[in-house]
Amino acid sequence: MLAIGAVASVVGVAIALSIDWFPTRAAAKVNEIDTLYRVLLSVSVPIFVLVMTVAIYSVVKFRARPGDMSDGAPIHGSTRLEVIWVTIPFLLVTGLAIYGWVVLNDVEAKQQGETVVKVRGQQFTWHFQYPGPNGKTVDSDVLYLARDQPYKFEITTSDVIHSFWVPEFRLKQDAVPGQTTHVRITPDRVGTYAVVCAELCGLGHATMRNTVRVVEPNQFKAWLEQQARGAAATAGGGAAPGGGAAAGKQVFTSNGCGACHTLADAGTSGTTGPKLDDIAAAAAKFGKQRGLTAAKYVKQSIEDPTAFVVPGYPPVMPSFKGRVQGAELDALVEYLLSVSGGKGGSG
Ligand code: CUA
């Protein structure tokens, strides 16, 4: 049994370590986490293999032959064996727990000059808020990050439990109602990734993904300043007469509508929700059936998305009531109707 177990362990560990388990490494300390995983795997495989070897060997060797009705020999326990099989797992598990704690402690350590980004989960999207220039804040539904900048993500939720997870950064943290949880990450590789919700949170759980863009620090700075200007422009009166559509495009972009909706004018290609390139005609038609103008129909669809669900699409769009309102909402409606062939005018 020991010989079979030893050979099977060597083969098992070799196979386990040869498999590339992990997605791209895109943050500092990812190697530490991956090494921890490989150590756990290397320790677990021999135990699994030895237990299975003993079990299979015993089933084959000591099985009852046909006609054999006799009982096994009476066994009264073995103190030495029991001490051994309690002590070994105890030492193993304690050692691994200490190793795991050391890694976790290092990964969670406060970093010099870290930026706090507020993360809010909501059925079924993520919202991010950055400290902007001049004490202002910048909101985005795309998680822009500067390479090599340490971040502390402060995580909350507007409704149920979600879990903030970017597989390329490895770490995961729950968003719990009534609490602020946090996780520290320093992205170190430029690229596009995804925040994935890792806690079953309702019908749209599988669609709860937002884009992460790790960019060079100067690009990040430019983006942040541009967002701050854009927010100021819409907050300060928003839709100027005739200029509503342009402001609406900014509202469309900054609220991440394109993550789920295709709209050629905004260059987006999401497929979770209906395509918006022909929303004007659809809104006119379906609005008329309900005695609404196209603008009212679109407006209500943004504030109360479950009111009119387009067949074939899951009813997963969060309400934007209170998030996009007043002049911003009017501008968004005007924009959507104008770029899809309607006359605009948001009433
Ligand atoms: Cu949010 Cu799953």
Side-chain angles (χ1 to χ4, degrees):
M1 274 194 292
L2 277 178
I4 295 170
V7 171
S9 293
V10 171
V11 173
V13 171
I15 292 173
L17 293 182
S18 70
I19 295 173
D20 185 14
W21 299 98
F22 309 105
T24 308
R25 296 164 179 80
K29 301 189 177 176
V30 161
N31 285 330
E32 260 181 84
I33 296 166
D34 292 357
T35 301
L36 172 66
Y37 183 87
R38 286 201 188 84
V39 170
L40 292 175
L41 203 59
S42 305
V43 174
S44 311
V45 167
I47 292 173
F48 175 77
V49 166
L50 286 171
V51 169
M52 293 315 286
T53 307
V54 172
I56 293 168
Y57 179 87
S58 303
V59 165
V60 174
K61 172 85 178 169
F62 303 113
R63 70 186 187 279
R65 302 322 196 262
D68 179 2
M69 301 300 283
S70 66
D71 216 343
I75 297 171
H76 193 263
S78 162
T79 307
R80 192 203 290 170
L81 204 55
E82 284 168 19
V83 168
I84 291 172
W85 78 41
V86 169
T87 308
I88 292 177
F90 173 77
L91 293 176
L92 264 180
V93 172
T94 307
L96 291 175
I98 292 171
Y99 174 31
W101 180 82
V102 168
V103 172
L104 185 67
N105 205 37
D106 184 50
V107 162
E108 290 186 336
K110 195 173 187 323
Q111 302 295 311
Q112 286 289 321
E114 59 189 20
T115 299
V116 174
V117 175
K118 292 198 163 78
V119 176
R120 184 166 58 84
Q122 181 192 12
Q123 289 172 321
F124 297 99
T125 186
W126 294 98
H127 305 288
F128 310 102
Q129 191 177 69
Y130 302 78
N134 311 322
K136 278 184 283 201
T137 56
V138 167
D139 293 294
S140 172
D141 283 7
V142 172
L143 182 58
Y144 270 87
L145 298 172
R147 187 169 61 90
D148 293 331
Q149 165 66 37
Y151 286 96
K152 181 185 183 191
F153 297 98
E154 292 185 349
I155 304 165
T156 57
T157 169
S158 307
D159 37 52
V160 300
I161 300 182
H162 303 277
S163 192
F164 174 84
W165 184 40
V166 180
E168 289 81 2
F169 300 161
R170 301 297 189 270
L171 297 173
K172 182 162 75 180
Q173 182 62 269
D174 280 2
V176 183
Q179 288 185 20
T180 300
T181 52
H182 70 263
V183 64
R184 289 189 163 92
I185 293 164
T186 306
D188 65 359
R189 185 178 176 280
V190 168
T192 302
Y193 315 106
V195 183
V196 181
C197 178
E199 186 67 56
L200 186 61
C201 56
L203 202 53
H205 164 67
T207 68
M208 189 165 165
R209 285 160 179 262
N210 291 51
T211 304
V212 182
R213 286 190 209 287
V214 178
V215 297
E216 296 295 346
N218 57 350
Q219 285 175 284
F220 176 80
K221 198 161 168 264
W223 172 81
L224 193 68
E225 278 164 8
Q226 188 205 337
Q227 292 299 113
R229 273 202 304 277
T234 39
K249 185 171 183 171
Q250 164 69 26
V251 175
F252 184 89
T253 304
S254 68
N255 283 283
C257 307
C260 292
H261 294 284
T262 294
L263 182 61
D265 186 77
T268 65
S269 55
T271 54
T272 303
K275 199 171 163 182
L276 299 178
D277 287 322
D278 44 13
I279 180 77
K285 183 178 156 203
F286 294 115
K288 199 172 175 193
Q289 290 173 5
R290 294 174 171 82
L292 298 171
T293 64
K296 282 245 165 62
Y297 177 88
V298 173
K299 204 169 190 172
Q300 193 169 342
S301 297
I302 295 167
E303 294 195 312
D304 181 13
T306 52
F308 326 118
V309 175
V310 177
Y313 292 95
V316 296
M317 178 169 155
S319 167
F320 282 81
K321 199 177 178 81
R323 283 188 26 81
V324 177
Q325 53 193 341
E328 269 194 356
L329 180 58
D330 291 341
L332 177 59
V333 172
E334 186 179 341
Y335 169 65
L336 287 173
L337 292 177
S338 68
V339 296
S340 58
K343 290 187 296 290
S346 47

